Amino acid sequence: MRNFLLTFLLALICPLILFAQEEKKWTAQEVCEVLCDNDRVPDYNYTTLILENIDRNGNSEVLEIKQYGGGDNGLKNVAFEFRAPAGVRGMRILQLENLKKADDRWVYEPRLRQSRRIPMTERTKSFGGTEFTYNDMRIRNADEDENTMLEDSAEITVAGTRYTCWKIKSDPIKKSEVEYAYRISWIDKKTFIPVHIEFYNDKNVKIKLYECEKLEIVKGVTGIAYPLRRLNRVSNLVTGNQTVTTVKDFVFDEEIPSTFFTQSWLTTGKVPRSQKK
């Protein structure tokens, strides 16, 4: 089943999985199924994300986004609220997961004072002006790709931390729905978290790079421990631009009102006073 975060993030943007290492020989498909398993993520989470867009000349812009994630009948929903800078303040994005079809996604644009559905044709485009695409804001189903084990015990160092990983190549079955030809992931054996992902075009040229620069084990309000990708970097290798995402604060496993995952919240940004986070 699909997982609302990120990929990446957070959570693409904040994908969380319980520690699940076992002494066994894993196939690529088994690893990816664990990675995508919704039973291994918190039922609820809300986080504050700080995203810094850095262009090739070193100029930067900082965005602050509040993210709300919640469950409904085994599915995962997520809502994003842009709080800074002024140019995007009040922008909201709502993603509702479906079991047997593509997720429903809407965006509210405050300058236009209207919301609209995000069609499949736009899901390869930038998420809020960052180097993440809308597709990056979810973890793909294991059966959406052909997954091949390249190395069973690959060593890689990310931001000074050494990881032992499964190195897996994933070829999308429906290539028209994504913005790359294939990706190669280094998935940490201790946490099942992808710490390094390379994206390639159909000419085998690496076009984008994701790295988890800080991985922590944290606890939700119920005491359950989760790996948290605290600091993440996505680099566009074509333009030279980057987006660095930091999880500023978080709460896991504390129930979030279903109000956040409605068209009413999307257009007004309002929830009952007693339910605000």
Side-chain angles (χ1 to χ4, degrees):
M1 296 187 61
R2 284 184 289 271
N3 180 340
F4 54 85
L5 287 188
L6 176 233
T7 107
F8 291 3
L9 294 174
L10 201 282
L12 271 190
I13 293 184
C14 177
L16 306 172
I17 306 174
L18 282 175
F19 184 95
Q21 177 67 297
E22 297 178 11
E23 292 297 328
K24 61 165 284 184
K25 186 77 171 181
W26 291 79
T27 67
Q29 189 66 19
E30 287 173 334
V31 173
C32 292
E33 286 173 355
V34 172
L35 175 64
C36 301
D37 188 353
N38 271 350
D39 291 336
R40 298 181 180 277
V41 305
D43 289 334
Y44 301 95
N45 77 81
Y46 56 93
T47 59
T48 301
L49 305 171
I50 305 298
L51 290 82
E52 182 180 11
N53 290 326
I54 307 169
D55 69 20
R56 63 189 308 165
N57 297 316
N59 302 311
S60 67
E61 177 187 53
V62 177
L63 292 79
E64 180 176 333
I65 301 175
K66 195 74 174 181
Q67 174 192 286
Y68 306 90
D72 183 21
N73 296 323
L75 301 177
K76 296 295 184 181
N77 303 318
V78 62
F80 298 97
E81 181 179 15
F82 289 68
R83 297 191 171 184
V88 295
R89 184 182 298 127
M91 179 179 172
R92 291 180 287 275
I93 295 173
L94 176 63
Q95 176 176 306
L96 303 179
E97 185 183 49
N98 294 306
L99 183 60
K100 295 184 178 180
K101 62 178 182 178
D103 298 342
D104 293 319
R105 302 179 192 179
W106 293 268
V107 58
Y108 173 77
E109 299 175 354
R111 286 177 289 183
L112 302 177
R113 296 185 178 181
Q114 65 180 23
S115 60
R116 66 179 180 87
R117 192 184 188 94
I118 302 172
M120 287 295 298
T121 54
E122 291 187 18
R123 296 183 183 188
T124 62
K125 295 183 178 180
S126 169
F127 173 85
T130 70
E131 293 306 315
F132 294 102
T133 67
Y134 284 97
N135 280 333
D136 289 334
M137 306 314 292
R138 57 178 287 266
I139 291 180
R140 293 171 59 80
N141 279 341
D143 59 6
E144 290 182 280
D145 302 310
E146 293 183 2
N147 299 299
T148 305
M149 184 72 71
L150 299 182
E151 293 184 48
D152 181 68
S153 189
E155 299 290 330
I156 192 170
T157 299
V158 181
T161 300
R162 191 74 172 171
Y163 297 96
T164 301
C165 301
W166 293 286
K167 183 179 177 181
I168 295 175
K169 181 183 179 184
S170 299
D171 292 276
I173 293 173
K174 296 182 178 179
K175 294 185 181 297
S176 62
E177 295 183 357
V178 295
E179 60 277 14
Y180 53 86
Y182 63 91
R183 67 188 189 278
I184 297 177
S185 303
W186 281 252
I187 300 173
D188 176 39
K189 284 192 164 187
K190 291 183 178 180
T191 61
F192 287 88
I193 292 291
V195 294
H196 181 101
I197 307 174
E198 299 175 350
F199 299 82
Y200 291 82
N201 64 16
D202 56 7
K203 296 181 180 179
N204 295 318
V205 175
K206 186 164 56 177
I207 57 174
K208 187 163 74 172
L209 173 65
Y210 163 83
E211 290 190 299
C212 173
E213 296 189 348
K214 188 174 183 181
L215 177 60
E216 296 180 353
I217 304 299
V218 301
K219 290 186 177 181
V221 297
T222 59
I224 297 174
Y226 300 99
L228 169 62
R229 291 193 267 185
R230 174 75 80 168
L231 180 64
N232 310 273
R233 184 183 303 269
V234 172
S235 302
N236 186 321
L237 304 181
V238 177
T239 65
N241 299 336
Q242 301 180 30
T243 296
V244 178
T245 303
T246 304
V247 179
K248 182 180 178 181
D249 53 50
F250 61 89
V251 176
F252 299 143
D253 293 329
E254 181 177 302
E255 186 171 357
I256 292 176
S258 59
T259 314
F260 283 103
F261 312 112
T262 63
Q263 291 288 333
S264 176
W265 176 85
L266 181 69
T267 55
T268 67
K270 296 180 180 179
V271 295
R273 186 178 300 275
S274 61
Q275 297 181 343
K276 288 185 178 181
K277 293 293 182 185

